[in-house]
Amino acid sequence: MLQIEALFSRRLKVLNSSDPNRPGNSAGVAFILNKEKLNTENAKLTVIIPGRAIALSLKWHNDSNINILNIYAPNNPQEHPSFWEKIKAKWSQNNLGRLDFMAGDFNITEDPLDRAPAKQDNEQAIEALRDFRNEFNIQDNWRHTHPTSRLFTFTSNTDSMSRLDRIYTSNEHHESMSDWKSHLCSVPTDHNIVLTRFAPPGTPHIGRGRWSWPLGVTLDKKLLEKISTIGIELQNNLENSSNRNRTAERNPQTLWENFKQKINQEAKATANRQTIKQNPPRKRT
């Protein structure tokens, strides 16, 4: 995490907590904030359980606060009841206020539908999570919106699948959530990333913006060779064009626009291949 912040400190702010007993192992939680999209000056991190639970308080639209809880629940379901009780106590001790979002790897599912093959998880672990949810008035927004759908974020070595990674929201934010997605990300991991859009009432509309090339594709030799070939084709077409051959459909402006579309298509295809290469599908045994 220190390396990430050192490399991208102009754009990103990293707030994290590692497991004090195993700092180099998988246990750990982090928030990575984009300084170009958020005011990070007043971002406050509270470590609740080192390496397992952290809270972020962030100034939001019209000076309101957003509180987000980041979770990496224990692998052992027997530890879940005490885990959630400890978070409740720490949240109250730190006077953190209303909980707006809770996200992370919960290492259990609440619904048999979230496993394939379908099965019920440890009842005590489920009840502990539900008691926490009820106390903080948050819900599994994706499941609430898609009561019969199936989506999986993790595939085990035995090819069983589960939706371990989820985002819970307070009930008042239910109508402000949209565009739920889950897919592989460019960061090497055996879990899929879960994405959603939060647009509370009163916030200005911001479009999707322009797609930009990931830095990794600019070093791809095959892509650069294709761009060179497409560029030579453009140059020849421009040299062969004249005012007499100019039409509304074929002129320097449309040739240039077609060139940009072609190289963008090649760059997107290259980026997709690189993502799949970094996150190869698991082989069936």
Side-chain angles (χ1 to χ4, degrees):
M1 286 299 173
L2 292 175
Q3 290 178 335
I4 293 174
E5 189 162 28
L7 287 171
F8 303 102
S9 59
R10 292 182 62 184
R11 294 185 59 192
L12 304 179
K13 184 179 182 67
V14 180
L15 303 168
N16 72 295
S17 170
S18 60
D19 186 332
N21 298 319
R22 300 176 299 168
N25 286 18
S26 60
V29 280
F31 289 102
I32 300 180
L33 309 179
N34 189 335
K35 295 179 181 179
E36 296 178 356
K37 297 182 179 296
L38 295 169
N39 180 2
T40 63
E41 291 184 4
N42 296 315
K44 178 185 176 183
L45 181 74
T46 302
V47 177
I48 298 175
I49 301 177
R52 291 288 181 181
I54 55 177
L56 173 68
S57 179
L58 195 65
K59 285 289 183 182
W60 199 253
H61 185 59
N62 292 332
D63 293 327
S64 60
N65 274 348
I66 290 287
N67 293 317
I68 308 171
L69 178 60
N70 190 341
I71 293 293
Y72 179 33
N75 292 318
N76 184 355
Q78 303 296 332
E79 299 177 14
H80 282 221
S82 61
F83 174 76
W84 292 110
E85 286 299 323
K86 186 179 292 185
I87 294 175
K88 287 181 189 177
K90 291 284 187 178
W91 193 276
S92 177
Q93 289 172 12
N94 287 279
N95 195 27
L96 295 176
R98 181 188 68 185
L99 177 57
D100 294 284
F101 300 98
M102 179 172 71
D105 177 357
F106 294 86
N107 270 316
I108 62 163
T109 62
E110 293 191 66
D111 192 321
L113 194 63
D114 289 326
R115 286 193 181 272
K119 72 168 188 176
Q120 184 77 21
D121 276 11
N122 181 281
E123 291 186 7
Q124 288 183 331
I126 294 173
E127 285 303 313
L129 172 56
R130 286 179 176 168
D131 286 345
F132 183 89
R133 291 202 297 104
N134 291 334
E135 182 165 329
F136 285 85
N137 199 29
I138 57 175
Q139 66 178 354
D140 182 352
N141 198 295
W142 184 88
R143 173 55 66 205
H144 186 82
T145 308
H146 306 86
T148 60
S149 299
R150 306 190 83 181
L151 179 150
F152 304 109
T153 65
F154 176 73
T155 302
S156 72
N157 292 329
T158 59
D159 288 334
S160 64
M161 297 180 291
S162 51
R163 190 169 69 96
L164 301 179
D165 309 271
R166 303 186 292 277
I167 300 174
Y168 293 85
T169 69
S170 68
N171 290 336
E172 71 175 78
H173 295 322
H174 174 70
E175 299 297 330
S176 301
M177 312 304 297
S178 63
D179 297 345
W180 289 90
K181 298 175 185 177
S182 177
H183 55 71
L184 293 173
C185 66
S186 57
V187 178
T189 174
D190 55 356
H191 289 246
N192 284 7
I193 189 172
V194 179
L195 304 172
T196 188
R197 183 185 299 273
F198 174 51
T203 54
H205 173 73
I206 299 175
R208 295 179 62 183
R210 293 183 300 173
W211 180 80
S212 60
W213 291 26
L215 292 177
V217 305
T218 61
L219 302 176
D220 189 277
K221 291 183 179 180
K222 290 183 179 180
L223 174 62
L224 297 178
E225 289 173 359
K226 288 181 180 179
I227 292 174
S228 178
T229 301
I230 297 170
I232 292 171
E233 179 185 353
L234 169 67
Q235 186 175 2
N236 291 335
N237 288 335
L238 289 172
E239 290 175 352
N240 293 331
S241 66
S242 65
N243 289 334
R244 282 180 294 180
N245 297 328
R246 182 187 182 102
T247 65
E249 293 77 23
R250 185 178 177 83
N251 55 64
Q253 287 76 24
T254 58
L255 290 172
W256 176 249
E257 181 62 26
N258 289 336
F259 167 75
K260 292 192 292 183
Q261 290 178 1
K262 286 181 180 179
I263 64 173
N264 276 338
Q265 289 172 359
E266 294 291 346
K268 289 178 181 179
T270 300
N272 289 336
R273 285 194 297 271
Q274 289 182 350
T275 299
I276 293 172
K277 188 176 181 179
Q278 293 171 352
N279 299 272
R282 292 179 178 270
K283 295 182 179 179
R284 292 185 176 273
T285 56

